[in-house]
Amino acid sequence: MLAMSHSGVLVSGLDNVAKACNSEFGRIFGIDPDRVPDHELEALRKHVFPRLRDPDQWLAQLDVVYAEPELTYADEIKLESPSMWIRRTTGPLIDPSGEILGRLWTFDDITEEHARAKRREAVQRLSTFHSPEPAVVYREVIRTVADLYNTTTILSIAVGDTLEFKEVALPPPGTEHHRGNLIKESFCQMVMEDCQPVLVQDGRKHPRVCEILPVKLGYVRYLGVPLLNSEGASIGTLCIMDSRCDEILGPDDQEFMALMGNRVSIELERERLFDLRTRDQQVALARQAAELTHTGNVLRAMNEGMALVESAGDERDLISRYQALLEGL
């Protein structure tokens, strides 16, 4: 039965000591399932504790469960290193006579289920998020992506042979003031060349990018999508990048990032049109100001000329004053 189950399964006695488990339990907690019954209780807990956010809370929950042998219980737990969500359920293990022998625990890996729900919530929220200022929208998109994956998220625009960082969320410590990098030294070169999403689970094993600087610095996991202008040409990238190559990204993540990239592309185009319209208005206002200045100079010269006619004693005096006026201008 242990071998047939798709869930991680652990059988424990009423004293909380492990009796048996299956291979899926071993995979989830990174332990040899055949050796679990040989571990002392404290040794097994020490192996699990580094994966838990709050070991004290975990122990408190176990105390509650084992205090009531007939209790059934279920919860969801996030494990770390690598990140994983599991659904934990437990109930009494009862023999045919009705005697409680111990506990049966099941652990289901719901990481992808949890991720799908989070992506769906993000898409739904951003679909109704609007602002008159395009920058407010694409900054919100970038922060949402960064919070969802808990990793560095970068909006880059291509300028010559460089990618300039237009917006960065959760930058790695020490890189807060870096404003760009060479295209040839970035994962984004593949996105720009192929004009399609690119996923690299471990850059150290990828022939096109294994020698670039980010990989040498330990940033080996990458997912990037192109940003397109109104003509369909690639103008930059939206990407996430970190060192967590043990946390697998897949097609659903690529689809989600493509949606986010489309939204950012729309806002960048809206910003470009807004800037273009603003520049046109500024040119028109400058032209109007120049015309008004010219008209004012003409009127002032006419007024000064009329004043000269009224104040001149004769034609010779008038011509002399006009000459002085023209020389001044």
Side-chain angles (χ1 to χ4, degrees):
M1 291 178 64
L2 288 173
M4 292 172 59
S5 176
H6 295 293
S7 303
V9 180
L10 173 70
V11 178
S12 65
L14 292 177
D15 56 358
N16 201 0
V17 175
K19 304 296 185 182
C21 69
N22 66 354
S23 59
E24 178 63 7
F25 177 88
R27 183 193 72 83
I28 290 174
F29 290 100
I31 191 170
D32 183 354
D34 293 331
R35 297 186 59 188
V36 167
D38 299 329
H39 278 70
E40 296 290 337
L41 179 59
E42 290 304 317
L44 189 59
R45 286 179 172 178
K46 286 181 180 179
H47 180 85
V48 174
F49 280 179
R51 303 286 308 280
L52 304 175
R53 284 185 171 181
D54 190 344
D56 291 335
Q57 183 182 14
W58 169 284
L59 291 175
Q61 291 168 336
L62 289 179
D63 290 341
V64 171
V65 170
Y66 279 97
E68 302 181 46
E70 298 182 354
L71 178 69
T72 59
Y73 178 81
D75 62 7
E76 293 183 1
I77 304 170
K78 186 176 183 183
L79 303 180
E80 307 289 353
S81 303
S83 178
M84 179 187 296
W85 280 92
I86 60 171
R87 182 179 293 116
R88 178 178 63 167
T89 59
T90 185
L93 191 63
I94 305 173
D95 74 2
S97 67
E99 180 183 357
I100 298 177
L101 303 177
R103 282 204 162 270
L104 181 67
W105 297 84
T106 61
F107 301 86
D108 291 292
D109 185 348
I110 59 170
T111 305
E112 186 52 39
E113 175 185 330
H114 196 271
R116 277 197 301 269
K118 290 295 185 181
R119 289 193 295 264
R120 184 167 56 251
E121 291 173 6
V123 170
Q124 291 173 345
R125 186 178 67 82
L126 290 174
S127 66
T128 58
F129 184 88
H130 297 285
S131 172
E133 299 182 32
V136 172
V137 179
Y138 61 67
R139 285 172 187 152
E140 184 65 23
V141 172
I142 293 166
R143 280 195 296 266
T144 298
V145 173
D147 291 342
L148 182 67
Y149 291 99
N150 190 30
T151 195
T152 302
T153 304
I154 306 173
L155 165 57
S156 304
I157 300 298
V159 180
D161 59 358
T162 302
L163 282 171
E164 293 187 356
F165 300 157
K166 191 175 181 70
E167 293 292 335
V168 180
L170 299 183
T175 66
E176 292 83 0
H177 301 297
H178 291 188
R179 301 313 307 162
N181 63 348
L182 294 173
I183 294 177
K184 66 179 182 180
E185 280 293 325
S186 71
F187 285 99
C188 296
Q189 61 180 294
M190 295 188 291
V191 179
M192 298 293 293
E193 291 172 6
D194 302 337
C195 200
Q196 62 183 14
V198 171
L199 169 59
V200 178
Q201 193 64 41
D202 190 340
R204 294 168 295 188
K205 302 175 182 179
H206 198 291
R208 292 179 65 179
V209 294
C210 60
E211 295 297 329
I212 64 174
L213 182 59
V215 171
K216 294 178 181 178
L217 294 175
Y219 302 107
V220 297
R221 189 179 72 155
Y222 171 88
L223 174 56
V225 296
L227 303 176
L228 307 177
N229 61 17
S230 57
E231 285 77 36
S234 179
I235 60 171
T237 64
L238 173 67
C239 70
I240 60 174
M241 183 175 62
D242 56 37
S243 60
R244 304 203 304 269
C245 58
D246 55 343
E247 297 178 21
I248 306 300
L249 300 175
D252 289 344
D253 298 290
Q254 289 180 274
E255 181 180 352
F256 171 77
M257 284 292 288
L259 285 173
M260 298 299 100
N262 287 340
R263 182 65 189 275
V264 171
S265 295
I266 290 171
E267 296 304 323
L268 289 174
E269 180 66 12
R270 191 160 70 94
E271 184 177 64
R272 186 186 70 83
L273 294 174
F274 179 79
D275 291 342
L276 184 61
R277 186 162 55 247
T278 301
R279 284 197 299 271
D280 290 343
Q281 292 174 346
Q282 290 174 341
V283 170
L285 289 173
R287 184 171 58 250
Q288 291 176 359
E291 291 174 351
L292 287 173
T293 300
H294 177 70
T295 301
N297 290 336
V298 171
L299 291 175
R300 185 171 64 252
M302 291 175 63
N303 291 335
E304 291 176 355
M306 294 299 296
L308 288 176
V309 170
E310 294 177 357
S311 61
D314 53 27
E315 289 183 1
R316 187 179 298 277
D317 184 26
L318 178 61
I319 291 172
S320 175
R321 294 192 182 191
Y322 264 126
Q323 181 178 350
L325 174 64
L326 291 172
E327 288 173 351
L329 291 175

